[in-house]
Amino acid sequence: MKLKFFFYVLAVLLFIVWIVLFNMDIEEKGWEFYLAVGLITFSLFYLSYFYQKVVKPLNAIANGMDLLREQDFSSRLAPVGQSEADRIVQVFNRMMLQLKDERLRLREQNHFLDLLISISPMGVMILTFDEEVSMINKAALQFLDGEEEKMMGKRLDELTGPLMDEIKLLPQDTSKTVRLSDSHVYRCSRLSFVDRGFSHPFILIESLTDEVMKAEKKAYEKVIRMIAHEVNNTVAGVTSALETVDDVLRNMDETDDLHEVMQVCLERCFSMSRFITNFADVVKIPEPQLQEVNLNERVESCLRFMEHLCLDNHIALHMDLCNETPEVEMDTVLFEQVIVNIIKNAVESIGRDGDIYIRTMDNPPTLEIGDNGKGITKEAEAKLFTPFFSTKPNGQGIGLVFIREVLTMHRCSFSLRTEEDGITRFRIRFNA
């Protein structure tokens, strides 16, 4: 722009000098005069040629720079009629075409990656340098039980939740397997990648629940079948022998003490058989026969069955059933057994003189059973639904496994933890 301005100033000055020379009143115009006029005239023509060969191509290049600055890769420069400048124009137009194709390719690639991340079964959270959430996919929202509007732009330490609390404890560039109190197992990784010399942090969340549950079930099924086979065969033989001996002792005098010992041994054998049968029942859970029922009615039916147990231990039942009467799909027999087991566990946790709180909610249909018993420690939370683990002195560790299997068959999400108010809540949510 400056060169063009100086060109016009020079042209105007030369033209003014040319006019002045012609209008000067000179008596004798010698050859010097005509030489000066000729030089000025030649200069004007040369400036015109200079404009066509230099200034005009420079203007075209300046227009090209403007297009680059505005990132307008669709426009092209027109030839200016000067061979050297037209070569530059051709190179520029070819460069603009390549930039346009490259930008289109990058946009398609970014769109493809966005779609891939969006539908990925692995949870992905991308953070800014200040550890603010800049992107989160649907899987991560599901695992973290959050909403995108409430999480976007928030710092990591501002987010809460059982899984998020575990993620925040992860050091950078490490991975950890996390088992929550709802029996869900996740592989969490806190990593980063380098782009243009800057490190970008991100978090990956992979659900291992199905794989772990299948492996656990396969393992404990094999163990239970093996134990049941050996114990039942042994108990059957021992029981038969004890009954035979007991029949002989009945016909003998002064054998009351021995008869009593035989009865105790028989009872212990039967207890052992029932003990093994309880384990085997977990393996043989039938497929649920789902039918649409009223959740409130099922809960009330189970509570009537458990009222006497609660009254005997001076435990008060508090019900808060929602007015919407949620309809859910369940196997009535299996699910009622789940409710009975949960209330029985709550009674055992309380012992005597306590409270059990039963609440139902709608949208989504949810059942919540809470108690003010001893509570669950953080160390025990992650092991609650593990086979053969129990917090009770004489527990077998199969009650919660049975509950887990039935709720999983019903496609329910669930959790069991002692919350800040001291109430231990078993929360069951029916998913569509």
Side-chain angles (χ1 to χ4, degrees), residues 92-107:
F92 180 85
N93 288 341
R94 189 161 57 248
M95 180 186 68
M96 294 289 278
L97 180 61
Q98 292 176 349
L99 287 174
K100 179 183 177 182
D101 293 342
E102 183 67 16
R103 183 163 71 172
L104 181 61
R105 186 185 69 82
L106 289 175
R107 283 182 176 177

Side-chain angles (χ1 to χ4, degrees), residues 311-341:
L311 290 174
D312 292 342
N313 292 277
H314 301 282
I315 296 173
L317 287 170
H318 307 274
M319 281 200 303
D320 181 16
L321 305 182
C322 63
N323 298 323
E324 290 78 4
T325 60
E327 299 289 329
V328 296
E329 288 190 345
M330 69 166 64
D331 184 309
T332 304
V333 175
L334 288 176
F335 208 87
E336 285 186 350
Q337 186 61 45
V338 166
I339 298 175
V340 169
N341 282 1

Side-chain angles (χ1 to χ4, degrees), residues 14 32 49 115 126 135 148 152 165 170 179 195 254 262 284 309 331 390:
L14 287 173
E32 295 90 350
Y49 176 80
L115 290 176
I126 299 178
M135 181 180 178
E148 185 174 3
M152 289 295 293
D165 292 341
L170 274 177
R179 183 189 285 266
D195 180 33
E254 299 180 357
M262 292 298 106
K284 300 175 183 177
L309 176 63
D331 184 309
S390 177

